[in-house]
Amino acid sequence: MPNVTLTIDGQKVTVPAGTTVLEAARSAGIFIPTLCHDPAIPGWGACRLCIVEIPGMRNLPASCVTTATGGMVVYTASEAVIEARRTIIDLLLANHPQDCLTCERNGDCRLQDYAFMYGVKQSSFQGERKNYPLDDSNPYIIRDQNKCILCGKCVRTCQAVPERSVIDFGYRGFNTKVVTAMDLPLGESDCVYCARCVAVCPVGALTYRPLAGKGRTWEMEKKTVTCTFCDNGCTFDLISKQGKVIGIMAKEPGPGRPLCLKGRLGLELLYVAEPMTPMLKKDGRFVPVSWAEALGLDGVVARMKEVEGK
Ligand code: SF4
Ligand code: SF4
Ligand code: SF4
């Protein structure tokens, strides 16, 4: 594939043709903030935070969906760009709870990071605020729709990575939110609790329940492990605090494959000091089950008992 050379913030950058301006900047170590971008799924240009200034182009284009061309000149942090990013953050905060003090994502939240980076202390807009009840309907994921910034990463990940399409955008305008089919609570949907959506959510809208309340993000360490429960080779993050493994998280999707609940629960049993009781859905309700059942080993155990009895 031929290369193109463009100039980003005065620096010559050469990338393969077809590369986006965002990828070109990142390949040269130039920072551009994003909320909805995920390298594992096609660009969407929804959050607009990655806007840049390109002389000759109308408005400020989103760099994640703008293709780099030869001779292009890009400014990633001009006055106009910074001002526009401040306005975007200001608008997001206009309808956001801002309870960072008690939020599970405090210290690992892109909205918090960018509000700090661009000096937006609070929103200058007043108006109606979302007031959804917490979706606490299942044992693995807590959904707080009031903190959702509608970046769509969970929706696109659920569609593209585990090929489940359990969630999508529903309703219109101010009432737009991420919904399951018929807007049922997650616990009553076809969600398989792979928790990929939790791993990609840039804010505190989705929380992996087994880790909720177990510590602040800066107290935790991550180590990648490969699941050995089948030959797919999915990778997970072991989450440790003070040298003790306290949970297993789905990893942000790479050029990925599905992560199943069996793999995550299996690793939990292997690594976590105090694993949670596994829960499976039976007749539409979550019930605690044995580890053998959760890991699909019931048949094996029954057969072993049968053989032992012979
Ligand atoms: S999601 Fe981020 S900005 Fe919102 S309350 Fe939590 S830490 Fe604060
Ligand atoms: S846990 Fe997995 S299946 Fe369920 S909504 Fe999230 S990505 Fe989709
Ligand atoms: S739940 Fe998280 S990932 Fe999904 S749209 Fe809301 S902010 Fe984005």
Side-chain angles (χ1 to χ4, degrees):
M1 194 182 283
N3 286 336
V4 293
T5 299
L6 65 164
T7 307
I8 308 179
D9 295 345
Q11 190 178 327
K12 292 265 183 240
V13 182
T14 301
V15 289
T19 305
T20 63
V21 171
L22 176 68
E23 287 162 346
R26 287 189 172 173
S27 73
I30 297 168
F31 171 78
I32 296 178
T34 59
L35 285 167
C36 73
H37 176 71
D38 188 324
I41 38 186
W44 207 41
C47 76
R48 314 304 291 179
L49 208 61
C50 69
I51 45 167
V52 290
E53 190 170 347
I54 301 177
M57 273 201 183
R58 261 194 331 139
N59 304 325
L60 301 173
S63 60
C64 69
V65 287
T66 303
T67 306
T69 54
M72 185 183 253
V73 176
V74 179
Y75 299 101
T76 69
S78 65
E79 217 172 284
V81 166
I82 300 296
E83 200 41 48
R85 285 188 192 146
R86 278 205 187 105
T87 306
I88 293 167
I89 296 163
D90 194 338
L91 282 165
L92 286 172
L93 292 179
N95 191 9
H96 192 89
Q98 292 168 49
D99 70 341
C100 301
L101 289 181
T102 54
C103 182
E104 289 286 335
R105 288 297 292 269
N106 187 12
D108 181 24
C109 169
R110 297 299 79 77
L111 182 57
Q112 191 186 52
D113 290 346
Y114 299 147
F116 177 78
M117 187 177 288
Y118 293 103
V120 186
K121 282 183 194 288
Q122 58 192 23
S123 182
S124 50
F125 299 102
Q126 298 293 325
E128 202 182 341
R129 284 180 169 254
K130 291 179 280 190
N131 189 18
Y132 299 116
L134 204 68
D135 181 356
D136 206 13
S137 59
N138 74 86
Y140 299 107
I141 297 169
I142 303 169
R143 287 202 306 166
D144 185 346
Q145 302 260 38
N146 300 316
K147 288 184 183 166
C148 175
I149 55 168
L150 298 176
C151 72
K153 281 175 89 175
C154 58
V155 171
R156 291 177 298 136
T157 298
C158 190
Q159 287 170 356
V161 185
E163 290 154 6
R164 296 290 304 184
S165 292
V166 169
I167 45 178
D168 206 337
F169 287 109
Y171 305 98
R172 293 277 168 104
F174 178 79
N175 296 320
T176 305
K177 62 174 180 162
V178 175
V179 292
T180 61
M182 309 302 289
D183 198 8
L184 291 171
L186 207 55
E188 293 170 33
S189 72
D190 290 334
C191 171
V192 294
Y193 306 110
C194 65
R196 285 270 196 172
C197 53
V198 183
V200 297
C201 181
V203 296
L206 299 173
T207 300
Y208 186 49
R209 188 199 285 269
L211 285 172
K214 288 202 176 158
R216 309 309 286 157
T217 50
W218 55 87
E219 298 172 311
M220 298 183 188
E221 281 168 21
K222 281 185 188 175
K223 187 180 156 205
T224 300
V225 288
T226 303
C227 176
T228 51
F229 283 83
C230 80
D231 56 8
N232 264 340
C234 300
T235 49
F236 290 82
D237 278 332
L238 292 191
I239 312 292
S240 307
K241 184 182 164 191
Q242 292 166 345
K244 203 163 113 178
V245 179
I246 56 171
I248 309 286
M249 266 298 292
K251 268 193 88 59
E252 279 201 40
R257 54 176 71 87
L259 294 174
C260 64
L261 186 60
K262 183 168 87 173
R264 204 177 66 243
L265 287 178
L267 293 174
E268 206 156 307
L269 185 61
L270 270 181
Y271 291 102
V272 177
E274 291 157 21
M276 67 178 275
T277 305
M279 307 281 282
L280 286 185
K281 203 188 257 182
K282 292 185 175 180
D283 299 326
R285 279 187 340 112
F286 280 98
V287 289
V289 294
S290 69
W291 278 101
E293 187 175 350
L295 298 177
L297 299 175
D298 253 7
V300 179
V301 173
R303 179 71 187 129
M304 281 169 75
K305 281 187 178 154
E306 213 178 282
V307 172
E308 267 175 7
K310 277 186 182 165

